Each structure stands twice: as C-alpha cells, then as structure tokens.
C-alpha cells in the first residue's frame, strides 16, 4: 500500500509522464527507420535524438509541457523549444514555441494567478530572459511570447512560490 501511495504523488506523476514522452518520441524516431538500414548506435545518432526535460503538468492536468532539445548538424549547436502533449497519451506532441537557431526556449512553468499563461526562459543573442505567453492547446498557431525581464545578466531556474515568481541570476564580479 505504501508503494501505491508513493506512485500517486505529483512528483512521481511528472517523472512517469516524462519517461512516457521520451519513450513515445524515441518510438516515433525509430519507427521511421527501415529494418534494412539498422546499424549500431553512434554518437551522431545520439545527437539526432530529441532530449526531453523540464516537464510540467497543466493546472487542469490535461496536458504536459516539456522542453525538447535538438542538435543542428550544420552549426554544431543545440537549440530547444517548448512542446506539449495530452497527459493521457492520446496525441502526439505539438510545438508551443517555434524551433529556431536564433533562440532556445526552456523551463516552462504555469502561473498560479493566470493558469492559462506559461512562463519560460528564452535565450537569444547570448542572453536569457523570462517570457510569457497564453497557452491555448486548441489553437492552430500560438501567439508570440512577451518578454518580462530585461536584465544585463542571465536568468534561470524559474519557480513559483505561492504567487511570487522567483528565478536565479548568475553574477560575475571582477575583482
């Protein structure tokens, strides 16, 4: 009985959902490879795989948002966007933010005050800031996000504590 109670916790649900999304994405990737071309897994193959992180469940518990990270072979750089999928596994992941080599989006969180809004970190031109956008899973296209912070230093580790948005910022002091 204790084991069943532990599985039902919110944290375990998020980890199980993350694993489920990873297996689905991996399965979709592998299903596109004909059997005659199977070969041993290489470092290049590993770079081509999506890396899933930063999962968060929507307030209505119908969707899971996550960061999908991908490698661009031409530039040799990683970039990421935020995607979402039904939490019951009934659909394929869809992009909330667009893929771009000029920006990377990560670390989605829902606002407790405005549950239809998602906040996340966007890195552009070497700087990371907090952005927000409306989350409408039924919409064909998503609205363009709005920048909330504009500090001369990078922000990271978004977290809500009650109704307060918290984040960390790395500062380097030259002595």
């Amino acid at each position: 009985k204790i084991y069943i109670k532990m599985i039902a916790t919110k944290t375990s649900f998020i980890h199980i959902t993350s694993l489920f999304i990873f297996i689905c994405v991996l399965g979709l990737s592998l299903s596109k490879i004909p059997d005659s071309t199977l070969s041993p897994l290489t470092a290049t193959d590993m770079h081509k795989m999506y890396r899933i992180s930063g999962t968060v469940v929507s307030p209505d518990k119908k969707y899971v948002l996550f960061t999908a990270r991908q490698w661009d072979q031409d530039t040799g750089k990683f970039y990421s966007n935020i995607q979402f999928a039904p939490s019951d596994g009934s659909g394929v992941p869809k992009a909330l933010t667009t893929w771009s080599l000029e920006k990377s989006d990560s670390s989605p969180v829902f606002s407790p005050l405005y549950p239809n809004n998602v906040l996340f970190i966007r890195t552009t031109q070497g700087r990371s800031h907090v952005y927000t956008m409306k989350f409408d899973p039924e919409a064909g296209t998503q609205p363009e996000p709005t920048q909330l912070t504009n500090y001369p230093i990078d922000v990271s580790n978004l977290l809500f504590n009650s109704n307060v948005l918290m984040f960390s910022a790395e500062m380097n002091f030259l002595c």
Side-chain angles (χ1 to χ4, degrees):
K1 290 182 181 179
I2 294 172
Y3 181 73
I4 292 171
K5 288 180 182 178
M6 290 174 60
I7 291 296
T9 65
K10 182 179 178 182
T11 304
S12 295
F13 175 75
I14 292 170
H15 292 296
I16 291 169
T17 305
S18 300
L19 181 61
F20 172 76
I21 291 171
F22 172 76
I23 291 169
C24 289
V25 170
L26 181 62
L28 289 173
S29 298
L30 294 177
S31 68
K32 296 177 184 177
I33 302 172
D35 289 339
S36 62
T37 62
L38 290 178
S39 61
L41 187 65
T42 65
T44 303
D45 295 332
M46 296 273 300
H47 281 303
K48 291 179 183 178
M49 292 181 187
Y50 288 108
R51 284 147 174 86
I52 307 299
S53 64
T55 58
V56 62
V57 179
S58 64
D60 62 5
K61 301 191 181 5
K62 292 182 180 179
Y63 295 93
V64 176
L65 275 68
F66 57 92
T67 301
R69 189 172 172 220
Q70 189 175 21
W71 181 62
D72 180 61
Q73 188 172 359
D74 296 334
T75 63
K77 295 181 180 181
F78 283 97
Y79 58 100
S80 61
N81 79 334
I82 297 172
Q83 298 187 16
F84 65 95
S87 58
D88 64 3
S90 64
V92 297
K94 296 179 182 177
L96 181 65
T97 62
T98 56
W99 290 109
S100 172
L101 291 175
E102 287 79 37
K103 64 183 184 324
S104 283
D105 300 329
S106 63
S107 308
V109 295
F110 279 95
S111 166
L113 294 174
Y114 306 99
N116 292 330
N117 285 14
V118 176
L119 289 91
F120 59 93
I121 302 285
R122 173 170 282 177
T123 303
T124 63
Q125 300 174 351
R127 290 282 180 230
S128 299
H129 298 288
V130 179
Y131 281 73
T132 185
M133 67 187 300
K134 184 173 175 66
F135 176 62
D136 184 3
E138 306 302 323
T141 59
Q142 299 296 329
E144 194 59 31
T146 302
Q147 185 175 343
L148 294 181
T149 62
N150 191 20
Y151 298 114
I153 54 178
D154 294 338
V155 300
S156 59
N157 303 315
L158 287 182
L159 175 69
F160 270 102
N161 186 2
S162 297
N163 296 332
V164 178
L165 174 66
M166 298 185 293
F167 55 85
S168 60
E170 187 174 323
M171 300 179 70
N172 294 319
F173 296 98
L174 299 175
C175 298

